[in-house]
Amino acid sequence: MRRSASLFLTGVVLACTAALPAAARAAQPDVPAPVPRPVVLVHGRNAGPGVWGSLTERLTAAGTPADRIFAWSYDSSQSTNEVLAPRLAAYVDDVLRRTGADQVDLVAHSLGSLPTRWYVRYGGAPKVRNWISLAGPNHGTGLAWACALWDQGCRDMTPGSYMVSRLNEGDETPGDVRHTTFWSAGDGQILPTSSTALEGARNVRVADMGHNDLLGDAGVIEQVVGTLATP
């Protein structure tokens, strides 16, 4: 009888001991999942926020709240450094104020790569975690000469322009910003297509496709979302 009682008490003690870690874990408060950084999408020449439909859908499906995805609209014929970059800076500040975030991610297509790069290079770097360029004329494109006479945005995209030259002086990817570019050998509008890649960036060559096709290609979008998801 005493032996049975002793075994019973031992079992109770062991059971209680085994339950302690679970009880302790249950008592700990839930740690909220980190909120994704706001994403600012910047379209290219003669375009608008509507070009980002596919990427926006995929970002929300991946867990980025819709109220943390922003699409900046601008007049692409204006000076990218004198007019557009300061306006982008004010827009980013407003996004940070509205969301309470410390940094944003910038995703740009085509011409949008230039004002976003200027912003990052000349003062904006501390407020940006990722800068992503889709088919950007980062070293200029010869096709821009076709509209350079009447369009300042086109002049800024010409090889050797003041804008392009200043952006590529010295370190092409300054600061702690993670720079990523996506380019296609079949682009057709960025000539040469190697213009998009930057020294010091993660330069991703995608399947041969047209200039605007990068905006809706599922493979490109998955890589963009994956890049933004990296802490």
Side-chain angles (χ1 to χ4, degrees), residues 14-41:
L14 289 174
C16 291
T17 302
L20 281 176
R25 287 194 298 270
Q28 292 178 353
D30 292 334
V31 178
V35 180
R37 283 181 299 274
V39 182
V40 177
L41 308 172

Side-chain angles (χ1 to χ4, degrees), residues 76-97:
S76 61
S77 69
Q78 296 184 313
S79 169
T80 51
N81 63 313
E82 295 177 341
V83 177
L84 300 182
R87 291 180 181 175
L88 174 62
Y91 186 83
V92 170
D93 284 345
D94 186 56
V95 168
L96 294 175
R97 179 187 60 78

